[in-house]
Amino acid sequence: MALVPAGAQRVLTLDSCRALALRNNKQYTVSRVKQDIATNVKKAARTKYLPKVDALGTYQFFSREISLLNKDQKSALSNLGTNIAQRGEGHLGDMYKQGVQNITSYLQQQGVSQDVITNLQKNMGQLGSDLQSQLNTFAQPFINDLNSDGQNIVDAFKTNTHNVFGAAVMVRQPVYMGGGIIAANKMADISVSMTQNDQDLTRQNTLYHIDQSYWMVVSLKQKLKLAEQYRDLVKKLDDDVYKMIKNGVATRADGLKVDVRVNESDMMVTKAEDGLSLSRMLLCQLCGLPMDDASGITLADEDRNDLSYVPSTTVDDLSDSLSNNRPELRLLQNTIDLTEQNTKVVRAVYLPHVFATGGYMVSNPNVYNGFQRNFGGVWNIGLTVQIPLWNWGEGAYKVRAARAATNIAQLEYDDTREKIQLQVSQSRYRLREARKRLITAEKNIKSAEENLRCANLGFKEGVMQTTDVMAAQTAWQEAQSQKIDAEVDVRLAESNLQKALGNL
């Protein structure tokens, strides 16, 4: 393993580790991105109040065109002159026949012979035929003109709607949507609050894990120093025992006992070094630093001889306004609010909806100017009302289901609040116990140091055995280890209490 120069060591405090973790933690970054997403969704929800403008363009080909005249009307107009002539010819023929009958009746009344009357009828029939022929020859140009005019009228009514182009610009403004838009905007606001609370929860968890890892490194570094001090004590005892063996004062068995204890102390140092290396790597990972840099960092508290401190407040002075501090409770309250607004959204679907509409439409052929092949348009405004009349109780069922979701969220909130209150109480008890254990450990240190001093003095005077000294050394090592554990436990217990209260 390469040695890192002392000048290259990077000193990290607890606050700097927290800052690094918040800056480099990926989950915390994800929570910030989620907040940006919720903010954009909130802005999108605000647009529901504003009018929407749509543009539409279309082209359609139809195999048949729109006809404003039926087939009979087209035939009548195309043969207008012929039909008029036929009706006129019929009227003239009827009038001529009626006149011949009247003359015949008059001659018969005057006693004219039948031969004369028959001859007269024959001559008048020939005269009528000649007259009709002359009339037809004279009226034919007029008949043709009328037929042509009628055909022009039929052609004028052609729509030429095989190829149809259209375009429109439409404006829709919601007037009343059953309260759905207001509820949707409130849901967007709640979602933003939820992402903020989720970010706060991620932040507190990150800080909590950093505190745990930081003090674990400090604890293992103190344990490593203690293991090295204990090894030095045991090795010094080992030297003294072998000197006594050479002088015949101690036996070989005493030396073997001390050798075993030296090996155990070496193993303790190795374990402490390995644990310290791993804990440094974990701390680097939480801080977002390369794990290869673990050997190049030093914590500000790891070389302190005394980790205990006097807290500024007592355990009972710590506030427990859980609903405001714990992000878990705020998230559950957000869930309750969200389900309440969701109920309003569900209900709004089955309430009347009112839209104001307006726009401008153009078409080709121009339906507003005789279907000419050009674009023509028209403005329009209107009001649309949609009222659901019957849905077989679907709306009522969905509203009940949404209200049930609110009840579930409220029960989960109450349950979590009770558990958090229990967690706070447990954390307070643990902090009190940790402080008491620290006081006891400090007292034990004094006793263990005095016991070790007396054992060393008695061993030098020859009134105590090697096992007595080793027992005193073990007691001193255990007392020192307990003090380190108690000091770190106080730190961790207070961090745990601050997290339980939501103050971390």
Side-chain angles (χ1 to χ4, degrees):
M1 181 181 295
L3 296 177
V4 180
Q9 290 288 321
R10 181 179 182 181
V11 179
L12 298 177
T13 63
L14 179 60
D15 291 336
S16 63
C17 289
R18 287 181 170 185
L20 286 171
L22 294 179
R23 184 168 64 247
N24 299 319
N25 185 273
K26 293 180 176 59
Q27 291 301 320
Y28 191 66
T29 303
V30 169
S31 65
R32 289 200 298 266
V33 175
K34 288 181 179 179
Q35 187 173 2
D36 293 338
I37 294 174
T39 301
N40 289 322
V41 172
K42 175 182 176 181
K43 293 179 180 179
R46 293 291 188 270
T47 63
K48 298 295 183 181
Y49 291 111
L50 304 177
K52 300 294 186 298
V53 181
D54 299 321
L56 173 67
T58 181
Y59 164 77
Q60 295 288 335
F61 173 79
F62 297 93
S63 61
R64 300 176 63 185
E65 68 177 13
I66 298 173
S67 179
L68 302 178
L69 300 175
N70 59 37
K71 294 180 180 179
D72 293 338
Q73 291 172 336
K74 290 180 181 180
S75 177
L77 288 173
S78 299
N79 299 284
L80 180 62
T82 302
N83 293 334
I84 293 176
Q86 289 176 352
R87 287 196 296 270
E89 181 180 351
H91 287 308
L92 287 175
D94 293 340
M95 292 174 62
Y96 189 80
K97 289 178 181 179
Q98 185 65 39
V100 172
Q101 290 178 358
N102 291 337
I103 293 172
T104 301
S105 299
Y106 178 76
L107 293 176
Q108 289 175 349
Q109 292 176 1
Q110 297 297 323
V112 179
S113 66
Q114 185 63 38
D115 294 336
V116 174
I117 294 173
T118 301
N119 190 29
L120 179 61
Q121 288 177 342
K122 181 178 180 180
N123 292 331
M124 292 185 68
Q126 182 64 37
L127 178 62
S129 298
D130 295 340
L131 180 62
Q132 183 66 42
S133 177
Q134 292 177 1
L135 287 174
N136 290 339
T137 301
F138 176 77
Q140 190 62 44
F142 297 101
I143 292 172
N144 293 336
D145 290 341
L146 287 175
N147 288 340
S148 177
D149 292 340
Q151 184 62 44
N152 291 335
I153 294 174
V154 172
D155 294 339
F157 274 97
K158 288 185 176 181
T159 58
N160 193 14
T161 52
H162 288 290
N163 298 284
V164 178
F165 300 87
V169 176
M170 301 298 297
V171 180
R172 293 175 291 108
Q173 172 62 56
V175 178
Y176 176 73
M177 301 299 293
I181 295 179
I182 296 176
N185 275 271
K186 290 183 178 180
M187 290 177 70
D189 295 337
I190 295 171
S191 296
V192 173
S193 178
M194 290 184 73
T195 57
Q196 292 173 347
N197 293 329
D198 181 68
Q199 183 179 2
D200 192 15
L201 176 61
T202 303
R203 182 188 64 83
Q204 289 195 9
N205 289 333
T206 301
L207 296 181
Y208 178 74
H209 291 310
I210 281 292
D211 287 2
Q212 298 285 321
S213 181
Y214 181 90
W215 292 113
M216 179 61 68
V217 173
V218 172
S219 174
L220 290 174
K221 182 58 182 295
Q222 295 290 331
K223 292 289 184 69
L224 176 59
K225 291 169 60 178
L226 177 61
E228 291 172 345
Q229 293 175 0
Y230 177 70
R231 183 182 60 184
D232 295 339
L233 288 175
V234 175
K235 284 185 176 181
K236 184 178 182 304
L237 177 62
D238 187 56
D239 292 337
D240 293 339
V241 170
Y242 273 96
K243 290 178 182 179
M244 295 175 67
I245 292 175
K246 290 180 180 180
N247 295 325
V249 180
T251 65
R252 180 63 179 168
D254 294 332
L256 292 175
K257 292 178 182 179
V258 178
D259 288 340
V260 172
R261 192 58 59 89
V262 170
N263 293 333
E264 291 177 352
S265 65
D266 288 335
M267 184 59 65
M268 291 174 59
V269 172
T270 301
K271 289 182 179 180
E273 289 175 343
D274 293 341
L276 179 60
S277 298
L278 292 174
S279 63
R280 286 186 191 276
M281 293 173 65
L282 175 60
L283 181 62
C284 287
Q285 191 271 331
L286 293 176
C287 293
L289 300 175
M291 286 188 287
D292 294 338
D293 296 345
S295 60
I297 64 171
T298 302
L299 303 187
D301 295 305
E302 67 180 35
D303 293 324
R304 289 177 53 183
N305 294 326
D306 189 4
L307 297 178
S308 60
Y309 73 104
V310 179
S312 58
T313 57
T314 62
V315 175
D316 296 329
D317 292 335
L318 295 174
S319 174
D320 57 352
S321 53
L322 300 179
S323 59
N324 296 326
N325 296 335
R326 282 298 291 262
E328 296 94 331
L329 290 179
R330 296 201 301 269
L331 282 170
L332 289 173
Q333 184 60 52
N334 291 147
T335 303
I336 295 173
D337 299 337
L338 200 64
T339 55
E340 290 176 349
Q341 297 302 321
N342 182 62
T343 302
K344 295 179 180 179
V345 170
V346 172
R347 185 188 295 113
V349 175
Y350 303 94
L351 294 177
H353 293 174
V354 182
F355 293 93
T357 61
Y360 184 75
M361 297 183 294
V362 295
S363 65
N364 185 351
N366 188 349
V367 298
Y368 306 104
N369 192 17
F371 289 89
Q372 293 184 359
R373 295 305 304 183
N374 55 38
F375 284 96
V378 63
W379 292 98
N380 66 86
I381 59 173
L383 191 67
T384 302
V385 180
Q386 177 187 2
I387 302 176
L389 296 180
W390 182 250
N391 50 49
W392 301 99
E394 177 187 9
Y397 298 143
K398 288 186 175 181
V399 169
R400 292 174 187 173
R403 287 175 177 171
T406 303
N407 295 333
I408 292 174
Q410 183 65 52
L411 291 173
E412 291 178 348
Y413 175 87
D414 295 338
D415 181 63
T416 303
R417 184 177 178 85
E418 292 175 358
K419 291 180 179 178
I420 288 177
Q421 289 175 343
L422 178 61
Q423 183 183 17
V424 170
S425 299
Q426 291 174 342
S427 298
R428 282 177 168 164
Y429 285 127
R430 289 174 183 173
L431 181 57
R432 290 192 185 98
E433 291 176 358
R435 290 177 177 175
K436 291 179 180 179
R437 286 198 303 271
L438 178 58
I439 295 173
T440 303
E442 290 174 346
K443 293 179 180 179
N444 291 338
I445 286 288
K446 296 179 180 180
S447 300
E449 289 176 347
E450 180 63 21
N451 183 40
L452 179 60
R453 188 188 68 81
C454 295
N456 288 329
L457 182 60
F459 181 72
K460 290 180 181 179
E461 297 295 332
V463 295
M464 284 193 176
Q465 301 294 324
T466 305
T467 54
D468 297 329
V469 178
M470 289 190 297
Q473 289 175 344
T474 301
W476 175 84
Q477 187 268 342
E478 291 178 352
Q480 293 287 347
S481 179
Q482 291 174 359
K483 179 176 179 293
I484 294 172
D485 291 339
E487 290 173 338
V488 173
D489 284 346
V490 170
R491 299 278 189 168
L492 295 179
E494 180 156 356
S495 176
N496 189 57
L497 178 59
Q498 295 293 343
K499 182 179 183 298
L501 293 172
N503 298 328
L504 191 61

